[in-house]
């Protein structure tokens, strides 16, 4: 009788297989790339379409102060609904926190195309009472052919 000797111990591979980890990371990267633009504009609006819009990159920054007005007249500061009477004080608090000399101290206003003009003007007045000197109106840019 012969004794069968197995050499499995010599074939052990001690390298780490990173392929599954890379696959998972690529899937997560794609998910974050798709979801991040959706998080930027927390309040969904139909913005007015213009042909001569100026691109404002600072409006997409995380610390940008954005005010949105929906078609039914609700006012949002970021993602939080606020009353027009409280808007000035809350914007003043946010501007006071921006102590950097290079910090963008402007406010970006997004208003639905069907928002009553009087409601937009009331909101602009509340923003101006907060001492904001730079107010930017955000629109959709259409390409004319």
């Amino acid at each position: 009788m012969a004794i069968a000797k197995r050499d499995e111990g010599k074939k052990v591979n001690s390298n780490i297989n990173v392929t599954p980890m890379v696959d998972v990371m690529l899937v997560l990267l794609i998910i974050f790339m798709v979801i991040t633009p959706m998080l930027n504009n927390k309040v969904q609006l139909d913005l007015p379409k213009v042909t001569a819009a100026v691109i404002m990159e600072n409006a997409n920054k995380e610390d940008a102060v954005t005010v949105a007005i929906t078609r039914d007249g609700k006012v949002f500061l970021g993602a939080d609904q606020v009353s027009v009477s409280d808007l000035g004080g809350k914007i003043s608090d946010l501007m006071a926190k921006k102590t950097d000399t290079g910090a963008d101290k402007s406010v970006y206003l997004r208003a639905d195309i069907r928002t009553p003009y009087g409601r937009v003007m009331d909101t602009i007045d509340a923003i101006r009472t907060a001492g904001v000197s730079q107010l930017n109106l955000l629109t959709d840019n259409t390409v004319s052919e």
Side-chain angles (χ1 to χ4, degrees), residues 43-88:
V43 181
Q44 295 299 320
L45 302 172
D46 292 328
L47 295 175
K49 296 183 181 353
V50 297
T51 55
V54 176
I55 297 173
M56 298 181 194
E57 293 295 330
N58 290 341
N60 296 328
K61 291 186 177 177
E62 187 176 325
D63 64 341
V65 178
T66 305
V67 177
I69 311 169
T70 60
R71 71 179 76 166
D72 56 352
K74 294 179 183 172
V75 178
F76 291 85
L77 180 58
D80 303 324
Q81 184 175 356
V82 295
S83 67
V84 176
S85 60
D86 295 338
L87 184 62

Side-chain angles (χ1 to χ4, degrees), residues 20-39:
M21 182 181 70
V22 170
D23 291 342
V24 169
M25 296 306 288
L26 286 175
V27 169
L28 287 174
L29 177 67
I30 291 170
I31 290 171
F32 287 128
M33 286 173 56
V34 169
I35 291 186
T36 301
M38 293 179 201
L39 297 176

Side-chain angles (χ1 to χ4, degrees), residues 92-126:
S92 294
D93 293 342
L94 287 174
M95 291 298 172
K97 291 178 185 176
K98 292 187 174 191
T99 57
D100 287 346
T101 57
D104 182 25
K105 294 193 177 189
S106 57
V107 174
Y108 299 93
L109 179 65
R110 302 171 61 233
D112 194 282
I113 196 167
R114 293 171 294 255
T115 304
Y117 184 72
R119 187 64 171 176
V120 174
M121 293 311 299
D122 291 341
T123 306
I124 290 173
D125 187 44

